[in-house]
């Protein structure tokens, strides 16, 4: 297959809340990934950073910041920003360099350190910035959007608060032994349902926190990989698609959608189109997936993703969950890492961390949470302002 | 003695109450007739249309609820929350004519338990926040009696 690149190495810094310099988390992840790949930093041709917007200039030029911290080596460098999808965009930049034959080995890294509480917009009055206006004009927080999707499921499919709580319960058990997870505590359904209501129907324990963390992957050409290892895990697809006009599902941070008045809605809504593009590129489908890592910004949103990535038909996600199909040991475990429920979100690192997790499972190195016999997995994620992110990793 | 405060829009040019009932102001591409809210004034977002001319148009002042949620925690700035904080409800409403969804808070006094997807609502103007001199108005969605 001409479009494959090898995942030569993966590495992460544990997720947590320490408020230390993001460079520390990123370099820890880089060193782990380089060691895992069995190569030196000076072997890296291209350093692809995923940007953090909360750490001033060093964050804006993350690729160069990490390259300098590792020691200027003359490697080429780039930095990507696509909000929560930044990591996927960074991996895609690296993949393109490799597939174009411009480099053999690339290091992709993202790390963040985060403030307490809700993610708030940057300060200052910005009357032309939808991310500022949604807070100012109606108090539409991130949980607002997650809650609208959750309530929509309840109205359309009769989903219950207990269904949403069960997602959290499942993920909390998955992440229990994950040394990189920030929260390692098994929640009961009752505990989740007794946590304070934040944005009805979503409760505190069902909404993803913000975290510090760092993740890195070493990608290489298949030819380079064959010289360094046997049977490397491969990246078969990276989808970074944007929506198609008109996109009529309300998306963060917008206060409105496109209009379908003069142009019919596309066959696939945006979130479905993200995974569809990845499947098309990889030449395999949802039935071939052994596991998935999806962006559970809320417990209820994980259920939407089951449908968006084609694991089941619309309205069937609750049945899949309740039948244990998405629990480790089930047909297609979802978020065996514990997901955002156990990690919290470290924006530029998260899409890279998803790929680290799939890689460990495909290599049989995931320890107690191992999905047995895993041969292919998919990640799904979405960044503000129309950034799709889906990666398919195969054996 | 309390003096009546001046009622001013929380943001200029996003709605009008001219001619009686309040309605949002959108823009419509002169070429492909696509609607936009907030108003688009530079480039038509329809990828098959290269329109750059837009007419300001009133949008439907009624629609149906797509989804809704009530908030129990004070959001961060720049939201200006009353002290003490009061929970508020937000609805996503599909405008039937324009086939687009517009968010807005739900009118005061409406209990979230009264809401359902598909319910008909209309646009009203209410106070979003106030200071010593002014009341700042914003659009909100209010259920229509059947
Ligand atoms: Zn047009």
């Amino acid at each position: 297959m001409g479009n494959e690149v090898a995942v030569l190495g993966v590495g992460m810094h544990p997720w947590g809340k320490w408020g230390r310099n993001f460079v520390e988390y990123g370099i820890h992840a880089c060193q782990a990934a380089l060691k895992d790949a069995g190569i030196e930093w000076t072997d890296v041709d291209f350093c692809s950073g995923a940007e953090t917007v909360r750490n001033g200039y060093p964050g804006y030029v993350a690729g160069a910041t990490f390259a300098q911290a590792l020691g200027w080596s003359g490697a080429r460098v780039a930095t990507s920003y696509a909000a929560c999808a930044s990591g996927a965009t960074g991996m895609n930049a690296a993949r393109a360099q490799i597939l174009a034959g411009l480099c053999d080995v690339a290091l992709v890294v993202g790390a963040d350190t985060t403030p307490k509480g809700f993610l708030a917009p940057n300060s200052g009055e910005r009357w032309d910035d939808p991310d500022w206006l949604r807070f100012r004009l109606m108090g539409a927080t991130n949980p607002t959007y997650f809650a609208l999707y959750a309530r929509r499921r309840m109205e359309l499919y009769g989903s219950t608060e207990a269904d949403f709580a069960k997602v959290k319960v499942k993920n909390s058990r998955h992440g229990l032994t994950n040394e990189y997870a920030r929260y390692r505590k098994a929640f009961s359904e009752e505990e989740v349902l007794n946590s304070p209501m934040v944005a009805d129907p979503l409760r505190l324990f069902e909404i993803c926190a913000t975290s510090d963390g760092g993740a890195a992957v070493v990608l290489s050409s298949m030819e380079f990989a064959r010289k360094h290892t046997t049977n490397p895990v491969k990246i078969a697809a990276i989808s970074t698609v944007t929506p198609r006009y008109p996109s009529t599902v309300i998306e963060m941070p917008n206060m409105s959608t496109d209009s379908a008045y003069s142009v019919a809605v596309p066959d696939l809504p945006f979130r479905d189109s993200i995974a569809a593009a990845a499947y098309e590129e990889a030449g395999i489908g949802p039935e071939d997936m052994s596991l998935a890592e999806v962006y559970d910004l809320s417990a209820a949103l994980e259920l939407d993703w089951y449908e968006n990535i084609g694991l089941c038909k619309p309205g069937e996600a609750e049945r899949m969950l309740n039948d244990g199909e998405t629990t480790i040991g089930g047909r297609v475990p979802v978020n065996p890492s514990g997901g955002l429920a156990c990690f919290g979100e470290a924006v530029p690192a998260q899409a890279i961390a998803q790929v680290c997790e799939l890689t460990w499972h495909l290599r049989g190195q995931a320890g107690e949470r191992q999905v047995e016999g895993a041969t292919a997995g998919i990640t799904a994620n979405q960044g503000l302002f129309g950034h799709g992110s889906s990666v398919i990793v195969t054996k | 003695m309390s003096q009546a405060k001046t009622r001013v829009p929380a943001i200029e040019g996003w709605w009008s109450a001219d001619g009686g009932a309040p309605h949002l102001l959108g823009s419509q591409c002169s070429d492909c007739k696509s609607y936009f809210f907030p108003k688009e004034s530079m480039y038509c977002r329809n990828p098959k249309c290269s329109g750059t001319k837009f007419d300001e148009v009133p949008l439907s002042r009624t629609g149906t609820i797509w989804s809704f949620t009530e908030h129990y925690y004070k959001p961060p700035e720049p939201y200006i929350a009353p002290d003490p904080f009061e929970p508020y409800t937000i609805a996503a409403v599909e405008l039937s004519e324009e086939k687009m969804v517009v968010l807005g808070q739900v009118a005061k006094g409406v209990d979230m338990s009264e809401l359902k997807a598909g319910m008909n609502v209309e646009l009203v103007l209410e106070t979003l926040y106030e200071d010593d001199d002014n009341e700042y108005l914003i659009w909100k969605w209010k259920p229509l009696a059947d």
Side-chain angles (χ1 to χ4, degrees):
Chain A
M1 301 277 277
N3 282 334
E4 287 174 339
V5 296
V7 184
L8 209 56
V10 294
M12 286 169 62
H13 184 284
W15 264 226
K17 197 85 167 178
W18 305 284
R20 298 202 299 265
N21 191 323
F22 77 101
V23 178
E24 183 184 325
Y25 311 136
I27 294 300
H28 179 101
C30 288
Q31 287 167 343
L34 289 166
K35 187 174 171 215
D36 186 47
I39 62 163
E40 301 294 326
W41 155 243
T42 46
D43 297 328
V44 171
D45 305 315
F46 177 61
C47 180
S48 181
E51 171 180 347
T52 163
V53 293
R54 280 186 288 270
N55 294 276
Y57 239 111
Y60 302 152
V61 296
T65 299
F66 292 121
Q68 187 188 29
L70 288 162
W72 289 130
S73 65
R76 298 187 183 214
V77 73
T79 300
S80 300
Y81 189 67
C84 304
S86 299
T89 308
M91 288 186 279
N92 199 40
R95 181 180 73 145
Q97 294 271 330
I98 294 166
L99 292 179
L102 295 172
C103 84
D104 284 326
V105 188
L107 174 68
V108 188
V109 50
D112 208 359
T113 186
T114 48
K116 284 205 162 75
F118 287 134
L119 286 184
N122 297 331
S123 56
E125 297 213 345
R126 295 194 315 283
W127 291 93
D128 54 357
D129 178 354
D131 196 41
W132 186 86
L133 284 168
R134 62 162 166 143
F135 283 91
R136 176 61 156 239
L137 298 182
M138 57 186 68
T141 62
N142 295 3
T144 300
Y145 296 83
F146 313 152
L148 290 171
Y149 302 143
R151 174 62 62 180
R152 179 72 180 168
R153 287 198 75 80
M154 296 172 94
E155 297 285 307
L156 271 191
Y157 308 129
S159 318
T160 64
E161 283 197 49
D163 290 326
F164 303 152
K166 281 177 191 151
V167 173
K168 171 73 174 193
V169 170
K170 168 186 73 77
N171 287 345
S172 76
R173 289 187 185 147
H174 281 178
L176 211 48
T177 59
N178 188 341
E179 61 189 303
Y180 299 106
R182 174 178 170 194
Y183 304 104
R184 275 171 278 168
K185 170 186 173 349
F187 282 90
S188 70
E189 196 176 315
E190 197 184 1
E191 280 173 295
V192 178
L193 290 173
N194 283 332
S195 68
M197 191 66 92
V198 173
D200 194 307
L202 296 176
R203 295 173 182 275
L204 186 63
F205 293 164
E206 296 172 324
I207 296 171
C208 147
T210 59
S211 292
D212 300 2
V217 295
V218 175
L219 304 182
S220 79
S221 64
M222 293 306 298
E223 195 187 353
F224 183 93
R226 273 189 286 271
K227 287 182 210 149
H228 283 76
T229 184
T230 49
N231 299 323
V233 164
K234 294 166 282 205
I235 287 187
I238 302 179
S239 160
T240 56
V241 294
T242 50
R244 284 175 198 275
Y245 184 88
S247 184
T248 55
V249 177
I250 190 77
E251 297 281 5
M252 203 156 71
N254 301 326
M255 284 170 287
S256 60
T257 67
D258 292 335
S259 154
Y261 174 77
S262 52
V263 182
V265 290
D267 291 343
L268 294 178
F270 179 43
R271 238 179 275 144
D272 295 45
S273 74
I274 298 171
Y279 288 130
E280 191 185 342
E281 196 171 283
I284 50 180
E287 65 284 356
D288 300 308
M289 295 301 115
S290 315
L291 74 163
E293 281 281 315
V294 304
Y295 227 52
D296 56 323
L297 290 165
S298 84
L301 192 65
E302 180 175 306
L303 298 170
D304 283 345
W305 280 120
Y306 295 0
E307 299 162 6
N308 300 141
I309 66 174
L311 299 183
C312 65
K313 295 199 179 80
E316 289 182 356
E318 285 77 6
R319 182 200 55 72
M320 259 195 104
L321 172 79
N322 288 314
D323 289 353
E325 291 187 26
T326 57
T327 304
I328 294 173
R331 181 171 68 87
V332 51
V334 175
N335 286 334
S337 68
L340 294 176
C342 294
F343 277 76
E345 189 184 15
V347 172
Q350 216 68 44
I352 301 171
Q354 290 182 320
V355 170
C356 293
E357 179 70 9
L358 293 186
T359 300
W360 284 316
H361 285 277
L362 295 189
R363 288 177 179 170
Q365 295 175 341
E368 290 183 55
R369 64 180 190 283
Q370 177 68 42
V371 172
E372 292 303 331
T375 55
I378 184 167
T379 74
N381 163 345
Q382 182 187 350
L384 250 64
F385 297 106
H387 289 103
S389 156
S390 177
V391 181
I392 292 178
V393 184
T394 59
K395 245 181 145 161
Chain B
M1 195 189 85
S2 74
Q3 214 171 349
K5 293 182 184 180
T6 311
R7 289 157 64 90
V8 298
I11 185 164
E12 288 291 341
W14 283 35
W15 71 80
S16 163
D18 292 352
H23 49 78
L24 296 173
L25 289 173
S27 61
Q28 186 172 28
C29 174
S30 310
D31 291 347
C32 76
K33 305 299 175 196
S34 286
Y35 287 101
F36 299 97
F37 177 81
K39 281 175 275 187
E40 177 59 62
S41 59
M42 293 170 71
Y43 304 105
C44 179
R45 286 181 225 161
N46 174 359
K48 299 261 171 68
C49 175
S50 53
T52 55
K53 290 196 171 62
F54 300 87
D55 300 311
E56 184 178 280
V57 288
L59 301 181
S60 309
R61 50 180 312 282
T62 59
T64 56
I65 290 182
W66 185 83
S67 191
F68 51 94
T69 173
E70 183 166 10
H71 286 67
Y72 291 86
Y73 284 88
K74 185 175 151 178
E77 288 179 349
Y79 186 67
I80 300 169
D83 190 18
F85 171 71
E86 291 164 26
Y88 57 95
T89 301
I90 288 179
V93 171
E94 216 164 348
L95 305 184
S96 35
E97 172 72 9
E98 295 83 0
K99 295 190 172 67
M100 68 196 296
V101 172
V102 178
L103 295 185
Q105 285 191 0
V106 173
K108 282 213 170 63
V110 177
D111 193 282
M112 200 197 78
S113 63
E114 299 168 33
L115 304 179
K116 278 191 75 61
M119 180 181 260
N120 293 312
V121 293
E122 68 170 334
L123 187 136
V124 295
L125 295 179
E126 283 190 1
T127 302
L128 176 64
Y129 61 95
E130 47 194 291
D131 57 24
D132 291 344
D133 306 316
N134 299 321
E135 282 180 28
Y136 297 86
L137 299 181
I138 195 73
W139 76 90
K140 294 195 183 181
W141 297 113
K142 186 177 185 178
L144 275 168
D146 287 324

